[in-house]
Structures are given as C-alpha cells and as structure tokens.
Amino acid sequence: MCSSDLLEVVRKRFSVVLIDEFQDTDPVQWEIFSALFDSSDWGGRLVLVGDPKQSIYGFRGADINTYVNATTERPGLTRSTLTVNWRSDGALLQALNELYRGVTFFDAGRAGQQNVGYTEVTAANKHADTRLRTVRNDALAPLVLRVASGDIPVASDPNLYTVEQASSAILGDLAEEAFHLLTTAVIPGTGESGTESTASDGSETTTDDDIPAGHRRVRPSDITVLVRTRFDGYDVMDALRERGIPAVMASGDTVLSTPAADQWRILLHAIGEPTSSRWARAFALSWFGGETAATVAELDDDAIAIIQNRLASWAETLLTHGIGAFLAVVWTQSAIAPRVLERFDGDRSITDLEHVAELLRSASPHDRSSVAGLLASLDTETAPKSAEKEDDVAARRVESDDEAVQVMTIFKAKGLEFPIVLVPIMWKTPYKAQGAAIDVTYTDPATGDRIYDLTGGKKWPDDATAKERRRLADAEALGQQQRLLYVALTRAKHRTVVWWARVREGGGSALAHLLFARDDEGAIDRDAFVAHDVSVPSNDQIGALLEALVARSEGLIEVSTHGMAAPAAPWNSSEEERSDDPLAVATLDRVLDRSRHRWSFTALTRRFEEASVDPLDPSLGDRGAYDEPPDADGEDEAAASVPVVSTSSALTALPAGTEFGTLVHSVLERVDFTADDLQDAVGLALAEVDHTGAGIPMTDGNGDRVDGSPLLTTGLAQAISTPLGSLLGDVSLRQFGPDRRLNELAFELPLRTRGHAATVAGIGRLITDHLGPDDVLARWASALRDGAFDVDLAGHLTGSIDLVLRLDDGRFVVADYKSNRLVPAGTVPPPDAYGRDALAGAMAEHHYPLQALLYEVALHRYLRWRLGPAYSPGDHLGGSAYLFVRGMAGPDTPSVDGHRDGVFDWAVPADLIVELSDLLDGTSTKAKTA
C-alpha cells in the first residue's frame, strides 16, 4: 500500500505511535497504520488504546471487527487492562459488575478471534463510599430499574403497552424522579447553609443545616438524561419543563426549529403583508403581540387597523434603516422580553429569540435585507447539523448560567461523566421506517470481508443461506445496541436510573437481553443472550425474575414499578423560594486577601526601587535584560577608542543598558554554540535579530558614528568560548549542543497554595541557615534576612530562565546572561574587574542570588515533573552560573581557585532549593518563624 521510500521516511520520524480511541477505527485507517507501524521492520512501539465495549460509531464506519483483529493474541502483542475506575462510586461499580457479569459485546465468529467480554472494575479509594445520599444521610441505591406498570391506560392487554402509552408513562415518571432527586438528595460539595427548602407538594421540609457535612443539594445540572436521538430529547425536555424543571439539549439541536424561530416567522410574514387581517391576527396571538385567543377573537376592524399600522411602520423601518434598527424597534415597542420571561421556560425562549435575531442580522449584507430574504435565511436549514460539529452557528445555546438538566444523545455522551444519569428510552427497539428494506450488513466469519446484502435479506440463493446472512447481521446489530446501552449505563458517578416497558417486539432490544436472558439464579443465560429475541416476562413476573439478580447485588440494584404520574405543582429552586424576601444591600463581611499578586524577580526587586515593569509583558520584565540595571553612566554610546587588551572582551567598548542587554540575550538565544565557524554563526544570529540592518550605533575616538556589530560578534564568540569554571567541569558553552541546552524556560509557579505565605525575609533566613559565615554571599543573605526589603509572597511567580544546561554527569545547571558593565565607560577593565569578589558584589547589589534561587526552584519543580520517580535533587541539581559576558574574554580568561573571571558559579545546596520550594508553597514551618 505504501512505497518503501515513504515507509522509511515515516518510520524514521516516529519511535512511538499511540492511537487513542482505537475502537472507533475503520478498516482502511487500520490498514494504513498497520502497514506503517505494525511491523518488526520498524523497530518502534505501537500503542493501541481503546475500549471495544464502547465501539458505537458504526454509522461513521468504525468497525469492532477491526479492533478485534488488531488485538487478537499474536507474537509481540502485549495486553494491559485498566481495572480501577476513577469516576464512579464503589457501590455503583459493584452493581454494574453484577449486572454485566457474563455479558459479551462481540462474539467472535472466526477462528483465533477473541470475544469482547465485560471486565470487572473497582473504585478508586476516594470513591469507595456511596456519595449520593438523602438529606437524612441515607444511602440511595446506585442502579435503579423503573418498570412501567399499573395504572397506565391501555387499549387491550394490560401487560403489553403501545409505544405511545409507555412513552407517556415513562416521561412523566422521569420528571418525578428528577423532582425527587432535586428535593431529597445530596452529593459531595459545598452549598449555602441555613436556608430552608420545601417540596412544592409539601411532603418534606428540611433546612440545609440538616444536610450531611461536605454535601450539598442535587442541582438540575447534576442530572443528565441520555437518549438515542434528538427527537427523544425534545419529548424529555417537554416533560421536565412541565414539572417546572429547566432542561437544555446539549448540542445537536438547532435554534431554527424552535418555537422562537416560528414566532419570528410569523412576525416577518405579518410585516411582509401588513394589509392582511389574517396575518395581523396571527401576529396578535404571537409572542410579539401578546394577546390571548379570546381577545383576538373579539378584535374589531379598528383594532385590526391599529395592528396593521404598527406592522407597516416596522416594515418601513426595515426598508429604510436596515435590519439592526428594525430589530431594535421590534424588541422595544413589542415589550416582548418581560412577557416571555414570565413563561415557565422564559429563559430558554428569550435566549432562542435573541439567537434567531443574531442569525437574521448576520444574514443581511450591509445591514439591508427584504422580508423574503430574512424568511429564506430562517428556512434554509431547519435540521440540525451533526452533533460532532462545534461550529454550527445555529446550534442551540444554553439559555443562561442557571442550573438546567442536560439532555444528550448517547453518542455525544461517550467519554463524558455526569453525577446522575437517567436512561428513559433503551426499552425501545431501534426505529425502522415502515416498508424500509432490511439492512443486512455483517462481517463474513470465513473470510473477514465486510458484506452488504444487495438482496435486502431476500431468499437468495436459497432460504437457508438468506437466514444465515440475516442471523449474522442481527447479531452484529444487537452487539452494537448492547455497546450503546453499556455506554449509557456507565456514564454516572453516583446513580443511574433506567426505565423498562413491555411493548410489542420489545424482546429484541438490548435492554431486554441484559435484564431477562438469565437463569433462575440471576446469571446470564448464554443461549438466550445471543438469541435474536428474548422472552419478556409479564409485568407482575418481572420482580420475581429479577429477584435473584437483586439479591446477588446485595441490594445495590433496585427494581421498582410506576404508573402514570399524577399532576403536581412545579419544582421551585431555592432561589425562587426566597424571591419574596425583602431586598437589601449586600454587605461585605470579610477582609479581602490583597496579598496575592503575580510576581517576577524583576517586579519584586523594582517594587522597592520605585521602578516598574510593563504590565503587558507576560514575563513581568523577567525576559531579556530587563532584570539588569540601567547603565550607571547612562545608555549613551561608548567610545570605540577604548583599547581591547588580551585579557578583556571585545564587548568592553560597546554600549550598555537594557536595550543592549536584550540584544545580547536575543543573539545568544539563537546561536548554535557548536557551529564550526562560531563568529559567522554569531553574525548570522545578529542579522536575524537586527533585521533592519541598523547595526549597533556608537562613536569612535574622533566622535564619528560607527557600527559596533563586528565588536559584538567577536565579543560574544569570546564569551561562548570561555571555560565556565570548575563547577561545570571548566567546559565552555561550545560543548553544549541543542540537545543539551534549553533556552528561555518560562515558568509560572503557584505561591502559598496552603499554609503561611513566604516572605523575602524568611527566604533570607533560610539562606543564612545553609551558607557558611565566610561565603561570599553571606553578608547579602544576612541583609535579606534583616529586612533589606520584604514582602509577602502569595499568588504566582513567573519568570524565564535564560539557559538550562545538561552536564555530562546528568546534572542540570541554571545559567543567566548578564551584560552589566562593572567599570566606568571608556576605561580599560583592571585585572580583577570581573573576578570572583567583583562579581559577588554585583550579584549582591542587584539581588541576583535571589533570582538564582527562584530559578532553581522552578527547575527543581520542572525536573520533578519531567523525570518523575527517577528525580533526585542531590543528583540532578547542578547549581547556577551567572555569565557576565563583558568579563568572558575567551579560552585565556583568567581563573582563580577554579572560578573563571566573568562567571559567577554557585553550587547551590540541593537541600536549600527543596526547602525554599516548600517555603514558597506554604508548607514549610520556617514561613512562620521568619
């Protein structure tokens, strides 16, 4: 399938390939991946991640046979199974384990293939307890089967309902179940305390003070209803809203098919024919008119004329002023908003009206449109687009930030989780249009080929062969439905409720097989489970048949019956119940925490130097040379007449200051230190940064302007070639290729996530505990401890480390470029100008050791994350090196006691870094005593 050259190119590029959601792979996709990576010639690792029990996208071409073929036992294949569920309560998982024990979701038809069975899972330790409880702290059954039975009007057989009868009963009971959960159940979380909640029917009154500690009442958004199609979803939303429970369709729905769109259509037709009394009356009955049917029936000619005049005026506004003015006038003069908001679904309706108005505006080029054009834009597409598309501008929006039950298709819900799941429609067999041809599609067990029966299941070439084709197709279809049901029943964290109704042909549904294909002990009967239909018990026998299953689950599976829901008062949220309370001005009864800020080293130090940083700079002045001080002699041009002696850098004669320092940083960030012609590489990097070609303006000894770029390229090449001292093995930057350096490592660290906030004085105290009295930084640390400047460090710490180097021994070193000039401009640096003591003084003056420590903490947390359990601070943290490039004169740069001029190397104790990290996090007791 692939040429050998293409195979070689692709295989060389990747050493590990991971295919997620592999159960949704189609045969052609796997053929491509298999040819590329499922071969011993590759030498890499192919990882397939998937759950065949969730292979439900057959309508897209996904084929579970592909998964089974690819993962069937063979040489080189390693199988690993996840057995811990991090979503659901232990009780719910135990109930599902019992319900699905012995169930298969794909029965192998070819030799060597494996069946797809159910894998029992356990809950994570923190979810072992039952988290859904009543307000009285009683546990609720995690898996509930509600059986339609009893006082349901039937045409004939009381044990066999029509689909319409069953649907009506189940939808009413679903609304009652949601109402019951909202008024009596609690889940983990924090809610308001001391507020009273009364069920609308007066059956129970509790206060939130009665709620178990750490819990809150169930809210509408905690409940999700899973349906097979969006049309089922519409019926669910209607049932919930009739009970006063807000509900929304989670995508897959279009605003163009809503009642709000119909109201706009009525209005547009009416202004398109303002002289029509029929459309005038239709407008009066609409949301925009706001009249009742009784009022409209009594309208006389004068009243109709008033309505017609208004419609004609609106039509004139549209014609002369455009769609924007038209919408504004209609919205204001009709006073539609308060009227619609009074409806029980007012939020939903007003959102839809505004959404349609936006679509009308966007459909009008240059703000001009005719009535016919606007109507056409509403009728172009009334069917929703695919639920998988997120860019459908007509996709219905959530009406507000208020709580609402989510109604969603099972296909959309795959991979998601919800606190409580209601599954009301899986008792139905998949819909098939009357007179439609039988879809006979299956995988041939002998050849593995995908077969589509063009005869539509007819007797060809003989009856026996046709029956076998239909049997294979039915088995695959039933497997697909079983997997769809599995996805629906495994989305919940705390509770799943599923409904059953006995209807004609109900024995062919996946739910019927799961519930009733069982023996007397409640275990799955394999022969009955794989049959096309299963025997469905009568309503009065269901309890007895499932009694063994309930007993095996130790009561975690609950079976109960319901009839038709009686009319009841609508549910009211606690906010609505408190709506009669007198209004009052809110008072602030707590002190705001103003200690939290976003800090950087530069922002921290300049705060007390009465300097500031650019608030739009994401690094808060920490990137480039903004952490360096302005040149003490001003940022004027330096004199090129300064002699460059053998022990000094060519950078001696160049300007100083923030702008120049940032240029140095930018060039060094781009240079390949290992380039054969280093000076040429530096020049190319400089040209890339200085893309205007302006160079580095300076004056020579005669006062003439010259370009200092040649001096910069020479000086930076010298710095890169300078040995870095004994801490780094006295190697130069030349030894660090791209695989051993990391430029501008940006970080954002949380400060004081718990406990006490660190202070700068506390950091100074910690440093003095780790430095000896003779350390060159000891005096600086003592001054920091004694309050040289202090601040509470809470919020976030940001920054950007110039360079991280990886040494041969596995240590990582923080490096920072400094272009500070330590001698007056125009003078030759004396021999010790960039020696250890001089550098220590510059470090202390500008608090660079604090910067180094903050950077070391960032590197410590980064390595701890990247290296995982293999990380050891003592083995991996190699200290800091501050590179004062003006003092780095190349290989012959002087060295004293292993310390190179221009390089301030600091072997920061690993224990100091770890303790400082804890201090900044608020977990160290030293924050209290500092």
Side-chain angles (χ1 to χ4, degrees):
M1 182 174 182
C2 300
S3 70
S4 58
D5 291 341
L6 177 59
L7 284 173
E8 183 178 359
V9 169
V10 175
R11 288 173 177 173
K12 282 184 176 180
R13 184 175 180 184
F14 303 102
S15 58
V16 178
V17 173
L18 185 147
I19 305 176
D20 197 12
E21 300 289 350
F22 184 66
Q23 76 276 356
D24 297 329
T25 306
D26 65 42
V28 175
Q29 291 171 333
W30 173 237
E31 184 179 0
I32 296 171
F33 284 119
S34 178
L36 287 170
F37 306 116
D38 190 26
S39 170
S40 58
D41 297 337
W42 174 36
R45 179 178 291 270
L46 175 63
V47 182
L48 309 178
V49 181
D51 181 359
K53 302 186 299 298
Q54 298 191 54
S55 179
I56 62 174
Y57 291 150
F59 62 91
R60 291 188 192 161
D63 178 22
I64 192 172
N65 288 277
T66 299
Y67 179 96
V68 172
N69 289 333
T71 59
T72 296
E73 293 293 345
R74 53 193 167 88
L77 177 71
T78 301
R79 301 175 66 95
S80 299
T81 302
L82 300 177
T83 58
V84 176
N85 181 303
W86 293 85
R87 167 195 302 151
S88 305
D89 291 348
L92 178 55
L93 294 176
Q94 293 178 46
L96 290 171
N97 286 341
E98 194 56 56
L99 180 67
Y100 274 105
R101 185 172 290 122
V103 168
T104 56
F105 302 86
F106 172 89
D107 291 319
R110 302 178 63 196
Q113 283 185 325
Q114 299 174 348
N115 291 340
V116 173
Y118 177 77
T119 301
E120 295 193 12
V121 294
T122 58
N125 291 336
K126 64 180 181 178
H127 298 162
D129 296 334
T130 300
R131 292 178 286 173
L132 179 69
R133 314 187 75 83
T134 69
V135 291
R136 305 304 183 192
N137 206 20
D138 299 321
L140 290 169
L143 184 58
V144 178
L145 173 66
R146 296 283 288 165
V147 179
S149 178
D151 58 341
I152 301 175
V154 294
S156 55
D157 186 351
N159 280 303
L160 191 64
Y161 305 120
T162 65
V163 171
E164 291 75 14
Q165 293 165 344
S167 295
S168 178
I170 287 174
L171 290 175
D173 189 63
L174 178 143
E176 289 302 308
E177 173 69 17
F179 179 89
H180 178 73
L181 289 168
L182 293 171
T183 54
T184 65
V186 296
I187 59 175
T190 302
E192 299 179 9
S193 60
T195 57
E196 185 173 292
S197 177
T198 306
S200 298
D201 58 5
S203 60
E204 181 174 10
T205 301
T206 63
T207 67
D208 285 348
D209 289 334
D210 298 324
I211 292 176
H215 286 67
R216 61 166 175 80
R217 290 187 178 276
V218 169
R219 301 166 181 158
S221 61
D222 296 320
I223 302 173
T224 300
V225 183
L226 298 183
V227 294
R228 185 182 279 116
T229 71
R230 61 183 176 86
F231 299 106
D232 293 318
Y234 297 150
D235 295 335
V236 168
M237 288 194 296
D238 287 344
L240 289 169
R241 289 171 177 173
E242 286 179 8
R243 195 66 162 95
I245 300 172
V248 295
M249 181 76 80
S251 78
D253 195 11
T254 172
V255 73
L256 297 180
S257 61
T258 62
D262 292 336
Q263 299 302 313
W264 279 108
R265 291 185 180 98
I266 292 172
L267 172 64
L268 291 172
H269 278 295
I271 68 169
E273 300 182 46
T275 60
S276 168
S277 61
R278 181 172 65 90
W279 279 116
R281 291 179 183 275
F283 163 79
L285 281 172
S286 73
W287 296 351
F288 292 98
E291 301 292 349
T292 65
T295 300
V296 172
E298 296 177 356
L299 292 177
D300 56 20
D301 291 343
D302 291 339
I304 292 293
I306 293 174
I307 295 173
Q308 291 173 329
N309 287 335
R310 170 178 287 190
L311 293 173
S313 172
W314 289 351
E316 180 67 17
T317 299
L318 175 63
L319 179 64
T320 58
H321 298 288
I323 184 66
F326 165 74
L327 293 173
V329 167
V330 168
W331 204 261
T332 302
Q333 294 185 4
S334 68
I336 188 174
R339 188 163 53 249
V340 170
L341 286 172
E342 290 178 352
R343 297 165 51 91
F344 74 92
D345 60 347
D347 283 349
R348 171 74 273 167
S349 297
I350 207 71
T351 299
D352 289 343
L353 283 169
E354 291 175 340
H355 190 176
V356 175
E358 288 183 26
L359 295 179
L360 291 173
R361 182 180 286 107
S362 63
S364 304
H366 310 296
D367 204 35
R368 293 288 187 268
S369 185
S370 65
V371 170
L374 295 175
L375 283 170
S377 69
L378 295 183
D379 295 331
T380 299
E381 182 181 13
T382 57
K385 296 183 179 180
S386 168
E388 300 305 311
K389 287 181 68 65
E390 301 297 337
D391 58 350
D392 184 0
V393 295
R396 208 172 181 193
R397 301 169 181 168
V398 177
E399 58 264 31
S400 71
D401 293 332
D402 295 340
E403 299 287 335
V405 174
Q406 302 290 310
V407 182
M408 186 180 301
T409 66
I410 301 172
F411 297 102
K412 186 72 175 177
K414 188 174 83 70
L416 304 180
E417 61 180 46
F418 315 98
I420 300 168
V421 171
L422 310 182
V423 187
I425 49 81
M426 294 306 287
W427 52 273
K428 296 181 181 180
T429 54
Y431 173 78
K432 183 182 295 183
Q434 185 175 5
I438 300 174
D439 184 8
V440 181
T441 306
Y442 61 94
T443 298
D444 191 318
T447 64
D449 294 333
R450 195 68 180 157
I451 304 298
Y452 181 78
D453 186 356
L454 295 177
T455 72
K458 294 181 180 178
K459 298 178 182 180
W460 183 91
D462 52 61
D463 188 33
T465 304
K467 285 183 178 179
E468 178 61 12
R469 295 198 303 270
R470 290 196 296 272
R471 184 191 70 79
L472 292 171
D474 289 343
E476 287 199 9
L478 181 59
Q480 168 82 1
Q481 293 304 312
Q482 284 288 4
R483 298 190 292 275
L484 193 68
L485 176 62
Y486 171 82
V487 169
L489 297 185
T490 55
R491 298 304 93 200
K493 297 180 183 179
H494 311 306
R495 179 178 172 98
T496 298
V497 183
V498 60
W499 277 263
W500 167 258
R502 193 173 190 270
V503 295
R504 194 177 304 278
E505 298 183 356
S509 68
L511 183 58
H513 284 75
L514 182 62
L515 294 176
F516 307 126
R518 298 181 179 272
D519 58 24
D520 294 339
E521 297 180 355
I524 289 292
D525 182 329
R526 288 293 305 157
D527 292 337
F529 188 78
V530 299
H532 181 268
D533 290 295
V534 66
S535 177
V536 177
S538 61
N539 290 335
D540 55 1
Q541 296 174 329
I542 287 179
L545 183 64
L546 296 180
E547 183 177 353
L549 175 63
V550 173
R552 288 163 64 108
S553 74
E554 299 181 351
L556 297 177
I557 299 176
E558 176 186 291
V559 178
S560 55
T561 61
H562 70 87
M564 295 295 293
W571 173 77
N572 288 316
S573 67
S574 58
E575 288 79 11
E576 289 170 332
E577 290 166 2
R578 294 196 298 271
S579 61
D580 293 334
D581 294 342
L583 297 178
V585 177
T587 58
L588 187 64
D589 56 0
R590 62 186 177 87
V591 177
L592 295 177
D593 181 5
R594 298 186 180 275
S595 65
R596 302 183 67 84
H597 296 277
R598 188 166 176 266
W599 299 99
S600 70
F601 166 74
T602 306
L604 180 64
T605 55
R606 290 193 178 185
R607 176 178 180 179
F608 298 95
E609 296 173 358
E610 298 184 357
S612 61
V613 297
D614 182 358
L616 299 180
D617 176 10
S619 72
L620 293 182
D622 205 56
R623 185 181 174 91
Y626 292 99
D627 54 0
E628 298 180 13
D631 183 27
D633 298 295
E635 299 196 14
D636 298 328
E637 299 165 352
S641 59
V642 176
V644 180
V645 299
S646 60
T647 57
S648 64
S649 167
L651 302 176
T652 300
L654 291 176
T658 301
E659 184 176 346
F660 175 77
T662 299
L663 174 65
V664 168
H665 280 74
S666 300
V667 173
L668 289 172
E669 181 181 342
R670 289 166 170 78
V671 173
D672 180 0
F673 298 154
T674 63
D676 293 335
D677 189 335
L678 181 59
Q679 190 147 336
D680 183 60
V682 175
L684 291 174
L686 176 59
E688 183 180 342
V689 175
D690 181 26
H691 56 83
T692 63
I696 302 172
M698 54 183 292
T699 58
D700 62 14
N702 299 320
D704 297 327
R705 294 179 65 87
V706 296
D707 180 11
S709 298
L711 287 176
L712 179 62
T713 56
T714 300
L716 292 184
Q718 289 175 319
I720 294 170
S721 302
T722 301
L724 301 176
S726 58
L727 179 65
L728 282 73
D730 213 26
V731 297
S732 69
L733 292 176
R734 292 281 283 160
Q735 277 67 52
F736 294 93
D739 60 331
R740 297 178 57 193
R741 59 184 281 204
L742 188 59
N743 297 309
E744 293 294 348
L745 176 61
F747 60 86
E748 188 93 17
L749 304 180
L751 298 172
R752 201 196 72 184
T753 57
R754 50 196 180 277
H756 295 267
T759 64
V760 173
I763 294 175
R765 180 185 182 88
L766 183 64
I767 299 171
T768 57
D769 290 344
H770 285 271
L771 298 184
D774 297 330
D775 193 287
V776 293
L777 296 176
R779 179 178 295 181
W780 165 82
S782 297
L784 203 66
R785 176 197 61 194
D786 296 338
F789 69 93
D790 201 10
V791 67
D792 290 342
L793 292 174
H796 285 81
L797 176 68
T798 190
S800 182
I801 304 173
D802 288 349
L803 184 65
V804 177
L805 300 173
R806 178 167 57 85
L807 305 183
D808 289 335
D809 59 9
R811 292 180 298 143
F812 294 85
V813 174
V814 168
D816 196 279
Y817 307 121
K818 297 299 179 189
S819 63
N820 305 43
R821 182 160 51 199
L822 303 187
V823 297
T827 62
V828 178
D832 294 330
Y834 290 90
R836 181 74 173 174
D837 291 340
L839 295 183
M843 293 284 292
E845 179 184 359
H846 304 299
H847 299 292
Y848 290 153
L850 176 61
Q851 182 185 42
L853 286 171
L854 297 177
Y855 285 1
E856 288 283 359
V857 169
L859 179 63
H860 158 65
R861 296 191 186 181
Y862 177 75
L863 293 176
R864 185 175 62 186
W865 164 60
R866 291 301 303 267
L867 301 182
Y871 172 63
S872 168
D875 295 333
H876 290 103
L877 295 177
S880 297
Y882 271 57
L883 310 181
F884 288 77
V885 293
R886 292 180 188 271
M888 300 171 68
D892 297 329
T893 301
S895 174
V896 178
D897 297 330
H899 301 293
R900 289 280 178 178
D901 283 8
V903 179
F904 186 86
D905 52 359
W906 184 18
V908 187
D911 291 345
L912 170 58
I913 299 169
V914 174
E915 291 182 28
L916 178 55
S917 178
D918 293 341
L919 187 67
L920 294 174
D921 195 37
T923 59
S924 172
T925 57
K926 297 192 176 184
K928 302 177 184 178
T929 59

